[in-house]
Amino acid sequence: MTIRTRFAPSPTGNVHIGNIRAAIYNWLFSRHAGGEFLLRIEDTDLERSTPAAVQTVLDSLAWLGLTYDGAPLYQSTQRARHLEVAEMLLTKGAAYKSDKGGTGKGEAIVFKMPGTDISFRDLVKGEITKKAEDLKDFVIVRSDGSPVFHLGNVVDDITMGITHVIRGDDHVENTFKHVAMYAAIGAPMPQFAHLPMIVNAQGKPYSKRDGAAYVGEFQDKGFLPEALFNSLALLGWSPGDDREVLTRDEMIAAFTLDRVRQAPSQLDMTKLLWMNGQHLKRRGVEDLVAGCRAAMQRQGLWREDIDPAYFQAVIMCMGERIRLYSDLGEQAAFFFTEEYPYDEKSVRKRLLKEGALAILREELEVLVALPEPFTAEATDAALHSLAEQTGRQMGDLVHPVRVAVSGTGVGPGLFEMLAVLGKSRVVARIRRTLALYGG
RNA sequence: GACCCCAUCGUCUAGAGGUCUAGGACACCAGGUUUUCAUCCUGGUAACACGGGUUCGAUUCCCGUUGGGGUCGCCA
């Protein structure tokens, strides 16, 4: 029989990382088994389920490369089938009508629990049992005639031929109900697997306040989809060896549900950032260029007159300092504007230090005298010989220039940076800095 | 509160009775490289929640305690 899993989000406008992690596990599981991964949109809450909200789900899946088989099934189209099954349950005596606790506008259909203990074998949690007295009957069709989640969920899973239901831990209590429904309907029971929740440092459900909780937020921050995918996959699952940075194919090959942990875990933003850097390295320079440009456009820092060759040179120069596309705009804006800010601390420490401006003036003279091309080797040699002549440490020469041309004390190697900026910019910036600080 | 589930370094995890003086990764600290930061290299700090069993032997099995999570809707 074909292994068939599904992702069944209700479109609310956001896709939570815990939810998308469930989608990732469903996807990995079915791909590993050579089966199918289906999508069902649980859009019965018409108020929240707007086309835009549905599109958000589709976008998140597409961004992460979670391809699904066939067309999505919209739950709202299945209403007749749901009610048909409810009627069948009614005639079978597995359900009854009741007006208790209702709206007074009619009778609801209530599913009758079998009165026996119910247990099932969870693929990650093992055997779970619930005693009969802890199981209560529940409504499957409201008194207004609309199907409730439990009915739609189970009926649709049957309709879609789902063989493995892989979902969040918050569904284990529902599963006892669902197991009873499968039995009553007489449909083959799927296997169940419940995944631990993703929590914050306080052990509470991960929310937007903890940094970012929705797929779109990570996308906006400039994370790579494969980095988020990789990190999320590793939250609660591991391949069994020491590998951490994995490709999709490697994860597909290694994925099994018995390697999923049962304890909730926290998402570590710092490690995600590291992971992003790892995946960034695996992409080529061209990708980095395109990604950084797009990020700068979003940040409002991009200008059409930025020379492509210059832009690429800046990126090469920044090297592995870029861990997120947005880092370029945040850490290297001075490459693209003369209005870069001066970091107060660096100015105090490197420029206003005793004799620093005098040194900077000497350096300016040396640099001005250099012929083109203004290479890293040339400026390096020039400043080293100046250091020798004056008996100074290289650090005393390097720092003032760095702060003068970039406004900050940290950044790429100075000589590479000077070469990229070019002689005229460098000279102009040093002059302006000298004038600004009374040199 | 009731019911279900969980518990290894700060975090993510490996570990399926002896191989554990508990391994890896991120973070952190120290040293090296370097003009700074980052990278890179080397080293280091750091964990089996607690108490009982079972066993010749428990991180691994059982029970309890503590702590944490989930669920108790005519929401999904």
Side-chain angles (χ1 to χ4, degrees):
Chain A
M1 188 170 64
T2 316
I3 299 291
R4 203 173 281 122
T5 64
R6 47 70 165 180
F7 177 49
S10 68
T12 60
N14 286 310
V15 184
H16 192 267
I17 52 170
N19 238 271
I20 207 69
R21 201 264 250 101
I24 288 172
Y25 283 23
N26 273 287
W27 187 86
L28 286 172
F29 181 80
S30 65
R31 293 294 178 252
H32 176 87
E36 297 177 350
F37 171 69
L38 309 183
L39 176 62
R40 177 168 80 241
I41 305 290
E42 302 211 334
D43 59 346
T44 51
D45 184 343
L46 276 337
E47 284 186 21
R48 282 193 298 178
S49 303
T50 62
V54 171
Q55 193 55 45
T56 302
V57 171
L58 266 21
D59 289 345
S60 295
L61 290 173
W63 184 63
L64 285 165
L66 293 169
T67 51
Y68 51 87
D69 298 295
L73 179 77
Y74 287 81
Q75 187 163 61
S76 54
T77 66
Q78 298 302 109
R79 181 181 169 117
R81 173 96 188 101
H82 300 161
L83 297 177
E84 185 184 309
V85 171
E87 283 302 324
M88 186 262 274
L89 256 12
L90 221 38
T91 56
K92 262 190 171 179
Y96 57 90
K97 293 194 172 181
S98 167
D99 60 0
K100 254 190 272 182
T103 54
K105 281 182 226 155
E107 288 185 312
I109 300 178
V110 179
F111 182 82
K112 188 163 68 183
M113 279 309 230
T116 59
D117 294 358
I118 293 179
S119 63
F120 65 94
R121 194 174 130 267
D122 189 289
L123 263 20
V124 346
K125 304 169 89 74
E127 187 88 6
I128 311 178
T129 304
K130 195 106 175 173
K131 293 197 206 65
E133 65 253 40
D134 295 322
L135 268 5
K136 292 187 301 189
D137 297 352
F138 57 95
V139 173
I140 53 175
V141 178
R142 299 185 190 87
S143 48
D144 67 0
S146 61
V148 168
F149 163 77
H150 301 293
L151 215 214
N153 194 266
V154 167
V155 171
D156 290 348
D157 279 341
I158 293 169
T159 305
M160 295 167 83
I162 301 304
T163 60
H164 296 260
V165 174
I166 304 168
R167 63 209 335 185
D169 244 354
D170 49 338
H171 282 292
V172 311
E173 299 294 325
N174 292 336
T175 305
F176 296 102
K177 297 177 180 170
H178 298 181
V179 165
M181 290 177 77
Y182 277 97
I185 294 169
M189 193 82 63
Q191 307 241 63
F192 293 94
H194 290 94
L195 313 171
M197 312 297 280
I198 296 177
V199 300
N200 64 18
Q202 288 70 45
K204 302 296 178 197
Y206 205 93
S207 76
K208 46 256 146 238
R209 272 174 308 188
D210 300 307
Y214 302 116
V215 176
E217 294 181 88
F218 291 92
Q219 188 176 5
D220 290 346
K221 284 175 188 280
F223 283 99
L224 253 25
E226 64 265 39
L228 215 217
F229 188 112
N230 194 162
S231 292
L232 253 23
L234 252 30
L235 266 196
W237 173 81
S238 67
D241 48 41
D242 287 336
R243 290 177 299 164
E244 301 232 50
V245 184
L246 298 157
T247 65
R248 257 163 237 270
D249 286 343
E250 287 169 334
M251 287 185 263
I252 289 170
F255 192 84
T256 55
L257 284 172
D258 60 7
R259 294 204 56 80
V260 174
R261 278 172 56 84
Q262 303 183 54
S265 46
Q266 299 179 27
L267 177 65
D268 183 352
M269 280 298 215
T270 310
K271 190 160 184 176
L272 210 208
L273 221 43
W274 167 81
M275 183 67 83
N276 203 69
Q278 297 298 306
H279 282 279
L280 220 40
K281 248 196 264 185
R282 294 184 166 201
R283 290 197 177 198
V285 183
E286 274 178 41
D287 173 87
L288 197 55
V289 170
C292 287
R293 184 176 52 226
M296 281 183 65
Q297 284 165 343
R298 280 199 300 273
Q299 292 163 319
L301 297 171
W302 181 255
R303 293 195 327 270
E304 285 311 316
D305 63 342
I306 293 174
D307 179 63
Y310 179 72
F311 191 63
Q312 175 156 344
V314 168
I315 284 169
M316 299 301 286
C317 182
M318 286 296 287
E320 295 191 18
R321 287 170 189 79
I322 304 174
R323 298 215 287 181
L324 278 180
Y325 290 139
S326 55
D327 283 347
L328 189 73
E330 280 166 21
Q331 295 173 21
F334 63 84
F335 276 110
F336 308 103
T337 176
E338 293 307 310
E339 255 108 76
Y340 55 90
Y342 286 85
D343 174 61
E344 212 180 296
K345 263 191 175 171
S346 302
V347 168
R348 220 180 307 127
K349 188 174 173 192
R350 305 301 191 187
L351 286 181
L352 303 183
K353 185 182 167 188
E354 183 70 41
L357 289 173
I359 294 171
L360 184 57
R361 201 174 306 108
E362 287 177 40
E363 294 179 278
L364 175 61
E365 280 172 36
V366 168
L367 294 173
V368 165
L370 279 179
E372 297 280 4
F374 199 64
T375 63
E377 292 72 30
T379 53
D380 191 340
L383 290 195
H384 266 93
S385 80
L386 177 62
E388 250 174 65
Q389 287 164 25
T390 57
R392 290 199 178 90
Q393 298 290 310
M394 268 313 280
D396 292 333
L397 305 207
V398 164
H399 297 304
V401 179
R402 172 186 295 288
V403 177
V405 303
S406 74
T408 170
V410 301
L414 179 70
F415 304 114
E416 290 71 35
M417 188 162 84
L418 294 182
V420 170
L421 283 168
K423 185 174 175 180
S424 62
R425 267 203 202 81
V426 168
V427 167
R429 288 183 179 193
I430 293 176
R431 283 194 175 128
R432 191 177 58 231
T433 304
L434 284 169
L436 195 59
Y437 291 100

